[in-house]
Amino acid sequence: MMESRGTQVYNVSQLCSTFGHTRQAFYKPRVSLAFQNEVRIKLVEKIFECRKVRPTAGCRYIYDELPEDWPWGRDKTEQALLEMGFRVRYPTNTVKTTKPGSTVFSNLILGYKIKSINKVWQADLTYFFTQDGNTCYLILITDVYSQLIVGCGAYVSYPASVVLEVLQRAIKKRGGANLKGLIHHSDRGSQYGSELYQRELQRYEIIPSMCKYSWENPFAEKTNDLIKNGYLVAWAPKDIKELRKLLNRAVNNHNRRQRKQKLGNLSPMQFESELLKNSGTNAYELCLKPTEQWDYILAKKDKIAYPQKQKVMSLPQTPSF
């Protein structure tokens, strides 16, 4: 290659030698730019591949799905995704679904430590608007330890009977496992405190636990948000029939493919499979507690400020596992 200036012609090798550089150094910026563009093209391909499974897959999810020899680190990859406009935006919550009942139970999981599945389940429900203009409701139950969704359902209303259906599905999914001593944690919704629902818990010797604030039920809140906004909103089901079909698809994708940092970057099903295969040797200790000290203070103040507002049913002591 030759470079010219006026009538004088310069050889690239001569120029590099004059200025103390190699030919590789001269061509490196061009090669680097081409390489960067190639990486970005591959990244966009991976984005569309990931979002076929999870429509609103975020930067961290996509990075975790990249091959081990990916040339960019996490921060650079996430920055590139944001620069290309792949930011995920979620709608705000506009419907209140919790209607407190007159019978509630004490919160048994603050500071609670577990090392295996079927020790604490968290249940919650949320609204969902279908394209035909109806307001529907999603009900889910999550095993806190593995983050596996063990029960789910979509309905046009949420009386105690349909909430009970989801509980029965969760119990069935666990295949008759001994659930004695399992803590069932929920908000103070009237459905969870109903005689119908409590009778089923008693049948399997499952212990009820309730919270007043959403931050005391974090796994259920996070799971609901992920299934609703991470999958269903993007798929936009037209009616309750399609919503039920897509809910099952979303839960299946979550359980089988959603990697969790807490689980060693495994999906909930992979994690439970490893636990079973290794007889619990891969178990970790999970402490169920609010993340901020003021949360504990707020909880204590609440018990003092509102001791007579509701009939609170407490168990004699928290079971030990």
Side-chain angles (χ1 to χ4, degrees):
M1 177 177 178
M2 307 292 288
E3 300 286 342
S4 63
R5 183 178 178 182
T7 58
Q8 184 66 42
V9 178
Y10 298 93
N11 182 282
V12 171
S13 296
Q14 293 174 338
L15 285 170
C16 290
S17 177
T18 300
F19 291 100
H21 295 292
T22 64
R23 286 173 60 89
Q24 289 82 357
F26 176 81
Y27 288 109
K28 185 176 181 181
R30 305 181 189 188
V31 174
S32 177
L33 180 60
F35 177 73
Q36 300 289 334
N37 289 335
E38 183 179 347
V39 173
R40 284 177 177 266
I41 291 172
K42 294 292 184 183
L43 182 57
V44 171
E45 291 175 354
K46 191 64 179 179
I47 290 169
F48 289 118
E49 180 184 327
C50 288
R51 288 189 172 175
K52 285 182 181 178
V53 177
R54 181 180 166 190
T56 56
C59 298
R60 187 63 49 86
Y61 177 95
I62 293 169
Y63 178 76
D64 288 341
E65 292 294 313
L66 294 171
E68 292 184 1
D69 60 351
W70 185 253
W72 290 351
R74 183 193 67 191
D75 292 346
K76 184 171 182 178
T77 301
E78 292 183 358
Q79 183 60 38
L81 289 168
L82 294 176
E83 289 174 354
M84 290 188 287
F86 288 99
R87 184 183 298 275
V88 179
R89 302 184 186 280
Y90 294 113
T92 56
N93 191 337
T94 58
V95 176
K96 185 176 179 63
T97 54
T98 301
K99 297 179 181 178
S102 59
T103 301
V104 297
F105 294 83
S106 298
N107 187 335
L108 301 179
I109 69 170
L110 281 177
Y112 200 60
K113 297 179 181 179
I114 54 177
K115 293 184 179 180
S116 63
I117 62 173
N118 295 332
K119 299 304 180 186
V120 177
W121 289 356
Q122 287 191 1
D124 195 22
L125 62 89
T126 187
Y127 71 94
F128 189 87
F129 299 128
T130 49
Q131 294 300 303
D132 60 7
N134 289 322
T135 302
C136 302
Y137 301 92
L138 309 174
I139 305 171
L140 297 102
I141 300 178
T142 304
D143 188 305
V144 166
Y145 190 73
S146 65
Q147 300 183 45
L148 186 84
I149 299 173
V150 292
C152 68
Y155 302 91
V156 293
S157 61
Y158 53 103
S161 58
V162 302
V163 180
L164 175 62
E165 284 183 15
V166 176
L167 173 63
Q168 291 170 334
R169 287 172 190 159
I171 293 171
K172 183 178 180 180
K173 185 175 183 64
R174 282 316 195 188
N178 182 10
L179 301 178
K180 180 179 180 179
L182 162 69
I183 294 179
H184 175 286
H185 188 71
S186 67
D187 58 28
R188 295 183 175 183
S190 58
Q191 300 86 352
Y192 296 116
S194 68
E195 182 180 349
L196 184 66
Y197 201 87
Q198 288 303 313
R199 209 165 39 232
E200 190 72 2
L201 294 181
Q202 292 170 9
R203 178 184 173 190
Y204 290 91
E205 299 184 81
I206 299 173
I207 302 169
S209 169
M210 291 184 175
C211 64
K212 183 175 182 180
Y213 301 103
S214 60
W215 50 260
E216 296 177 298
N217 201 19
F219 286 91
E221 294 280 345
K222 184 177 180 180
T223 299
N224 279 9
D225 179 69
L226 178 59
I227 295 299
K228 174 183 172 180
N229 294 312
Y231 294 94
L232 298 176
V233 168
W235 288 339
K238 61 183 179 181
D239 52 29
I240 184 63
K241 183 178 180 180
E242 188 174 17
L243 175 60
R244 286 170 177 158
K245 180 180 178 180
L246 292 177
L247 172 62
N248 289 330
R249 178 182 168 190
V251 168
N252 184 63
N253 285 355
H254 170 273
N255 286 346
R256 291 179 178 275
R257 303 191 61 171
Q258 182 71 48
R259 297 172 184 266
K260 308 281 186 176
Q261 289 186 333
K262 197 75 173 180
L263 306 180
N265 213 32
L266 298 175
S267 71
M269 286 188 69
Q270 289 173 330
F271 177 74
E272 288 199 1
S273 177
E274 289 295 317
L275 279 182
L276 181 63
K277 187 188 305 180
N278 297 289
S279 302
T281 55
N282 290 349
Y284 70 101
E285 182 176 81
L286 176 63
C287 183
L288 303 175
K289 59 183 179 182
T291 55
E292 302 293 342
Q293 184 62 32
W294 65 265
D295 288 344
Y296 283 109
I297 297 173
L298 182 59
K300 290 178 180 178
K301 283 184 177 180
D302 181 62
K303 290 178 182 178
I304 296 172
Y306 308 103
Q308 304 298 326
K309 268 200 168 184
Q310 291 178 308
K311 176 185 175 184
V312 177
M313 300 174 64
S314 303
L315 293 164
Q317 62 181 31
T318 303
S320 58
F321 299 132

